[in-house]
Amino acid sequence: MKIPYTNIAAQHVRIKNEILSAVGNVLDHGKFILGNEVEEFECRFADLCKVSYAIGVNSGTDALILALRSLGIGPGDEVITVPNSFVASTSCVALVGARPVFVDVRDDYNIDPSMIEQAITSRTRAILPVHLTGRPANMTSIMEIAKAHDLDVIEDCAQAVCAEYERERVGSFGTIGCFSLHPLKTLNACGDGGVLTTNDPRLYERLRKLRNVGLHNRDECHFWGYNSRLDTMQSAILLIKLHYVEEWTEIRRAYADYYRRRLNGLPQVQVPNEKSNERCVYHTYVIQADRRDELKDYLGEHGIDTKIHYPIPIHLQQAAKYLEYTEGQFPVTERLASKILSLPIYPELRIDELEYIATTVCSFYDTEEE
Ligand SMILES: *Cc1c(COP(=O)(O)O)cnc(C)c1O
């Protein structure tokens, strides 16, 4: 059996005709930039996240950059975030001229709230938690700390559309939520895309201008902005996919439950343990495994493709060298980097493939026993 880590083409088998017809409509009306589909998608996405406003942009990375810019965060400011993430959740801070300040994560991959306060200085402007793997960060604690210190919170929800903490959707807690619509995310465009969420009408207006070259109307510009609009074509496609995202999420959750039941008994493997106040959406299904590299090779030899999210913690990336963090400074993140392995998890994965993956993981450790 050959099982790829992702299979985007398989997602489109069922919905290809719907997508082609939506794309056809856009070709017919020709409003490729900020056509009606963009605002329609924004309204529906805001409903999905249970927030007042959503703003479509070019990518998840741009969503983060625009969020920081809209709050006036820049040179001289500090933003607290995690070294255990995709690089964009840190690069956005540096790209607006501010300084990323790292706080280690817990075993659940997300920011350790008990370590945030000691990282706060007079220059701190915001906390930027990441809902990594589609698991919500502890938003109750984070919002309490932010409130006590008068800080903004920018949620990196790139991996977490429809995830919930205490029955509230991510992207609705902080000042601004930032989502990615990259093809590999759980609500995916056929190309790049991103979206911001907020309940603040003034930020909504500012973000709409920031993503559209700062234009107040066709001819007047009140401040410099970016060209970072979500395409009409992508919005039309996303409107189709929005119909399926809850169903797809439930399948991911059922698959995660299957993996948990099959792998939980292995002493060499730690599976994600969802808490009762969390709804995880499993953008990735990350286990912590003894002899991780050997397991990865073994699975590869048996036709199963896996990934590591992420093998190099951000504070140890060459790009972060000037921040002068050293190895050993974030022990949980560093330990995780040597143990984590992402197993395939997507709605189009067949049940027999899922069973084969779980069985093959078990057989790797069985052979070890002999
Ligand atoms: C994917 C991702 C981003 C960036 O999104 P893009 O749409 O690829 O720019 C940011 N943060 C996290 C945690 C991500 O997974």
Side-chain angles (χ1 to χ4, degrees):
M1 213 182 281
K2 267 213 120 27
I3 306 177
Y5 179 71
T6 55
N7 191 348
I8 305 290
Q11 185 193 45
H12 293 136
V13 171
R14 177 173 160 206
I15 58 173
K16 188 170 168 183
N17 286 336
E18 275 184 276
I19 288 180
L20 288 176
S21 135
V23 167
N25 284 340
V26 176
L27 290 177
D28 289 344
H29 70 58
K31 269 207 81 184
F32 297 135
I33 303 297
L34 297 181
N36 290 341
E37 288 85 349
V38 179
E39 202 162 322
E40 195 182 334
F41 170 71
E42 290 169 338
C43 288
R44 301 265 293 281
F45 192 84
D47 290 345
L48 186 75
C49 300
K50 304 192 168 71
V51 295
S52 309
Y53 309 104
I55 305 100
V57 293
N58 248 327
S59 66
T61 305
D62 270 12
L64 289 161
I65 291 171
L66 266 60
L68 292 157
R69 288 297 306 262
S70 74
L71 296 169
I73 295 172
D77 297 331
E78 293 178 355
V79 175
I80 293 172
T81 188
V82 285
N84 180 47
S85 181
F86 180 57
V87 290
S89 57
T90 293
S91 66
C92 63
V93 177
L95 287 169
V96 301
R99 185 180 174 86
V101 173
F102 292 126
V103 162
D104 209 353
V105 297
R106 292 209 283 219
D107 219 40
D108 66 358
Y109 309 118
N110 286 329
I111 193 163
D112 183 344
S114 73
M115 300 184 78
I116 293 176
E117 277 190 312
Q118 63 206 62
I120 295 174
T121 72
S122 58
R123 292 177 297 278
T124 308
R125 290 285 315 278
I127 308 171
L128 197 159
V130 181
H131 306 296
L132 205 71
T133 74
R135 182 174 201 161
N138 183 335
M139 291 314 295
T140 306
S141 301
I142 293 166
M143 294 312 295
E144 268 171 26
I145 296 164
K147 214 165 170 204
H149 296 269
D150 198 20
L151 303 174
D152 283 308
V153 173
I154 298 166
E155 294 175 68
D156 183 340
C157 310
Q159 305 189 355
V161 178
C162 297
E164 294 176 5
Y165 188 78
E166 301 286 7
R167 317 220 169 275
E168 306 277 350
R169 296 240 151 160
V170 302
S172 70
F173 293 89
T175 322
I176 301 177
C178 299
F179 293 82
S180 168
L181 305 166
H182 181 281
L184 293 179
K185 302 293 160 74
T186 57
L187 174 63
N188 52 352
C190 296
D192 276 311
V195 52
L196 298 117
T197 53
T198 185
N199 288 314
D200 182 333
R202 280 175 318 169
L203 281 177
Y204 170 65
E205 288 305 328
R206 199 174 306 158
L207 284 165
R208 273 166 64 96
K209 290 173 195 165
L210 257 185
R211 64 116 187 245
N212 190 27
V213 214
L215 289 173
H216 176 65
N217 55 39
R218 191 182 179 286
D219 301 313
E220 288 174 76
C221 181
H222 291 177
F223 52 81
W224 307 139
Y226 296 76
N227 179 345
S228 182
R229 298 167 298 230
L230 180 64
D231 285 339
T232 307
M233 199 84 89
Q234 296 298 350
S235 302
I237 294 170
L238 287 158
L239 277 167
I240 307 281
K241 295 197 182 188
L242 266 179
H243 290 301
Y244 299 95
V245 69
E246 297 278 12
E247 176 190 332
W248 289 337
T249 302
E250 282 308 318
I251 299 173
R252 283 175 183 276
R253 288 175 50 71
Y255 284 6
D257 197 50
Y258 176 81
Y259 276 139
R260 182 184 56 73
R261 281 185 278 121
R262 287 293 310 274
L263 305 177
N264 211 8
L266 293 174
Q268 303 93 338
V269 168
Q270 191 179 321
V271 297
N273 258 324
E274 188 171 323
K275 298 201 195 105
S276 60
N277 63 349
E278 299 172 338
R279 181 187 195 229
C280 307
V281 298
Y282 301 98
H283 163 65
T284 48
Y285 188 84
V286 179
I287 60 170
Q288 296 173 42
D290 289 355
R291 297 162 63 218
R292 189 269 316 273
D293 293 339
E294 283 170 70
L295 172 63
K296 189 176 195 315
D297 289 346
Y298 180 85
L299 292 172
E301 283 155 22
H302 289 78
I304 302 164
D305 190 21
T306 56
K307 300 275 184 249
I308 298 168
H309 299 96
Y310 297 90
I312 307 174
I314 303 175
H315 67 288
L316 301 178
Q317 292 283 355
Q318 194 178 324
K321 219 172 172 149
Y322 73 102
L323 296 170
E324 298 186 323
Y325 287 112
T326 54
E327 213 169 325
Q329 231 173 325
F330 303 103
V332 181
T333 293
E334 290 172 30
R335 175 172 53 76
L336 288 172
S338 69
K339 298 203 78 172
I340 48 177
L341 187 67
S342 305
L343 303 179
I345 188 161
Y346 41 93
E348 299 75 22
L349 201 62
R350 297 194 316 265
I351 303 287
D352 62 313
E353 292 175 318
L354 195 68
E355 286 170 353
Y356 174 70
I357 297 166
T359 301
T360 311
V361 172
C362 293
S363 76
F364 170 73
Y365 290 109
D366 280 349
T367 49
E368 180 190 37
E369 301 289 294
E370 280 153 18

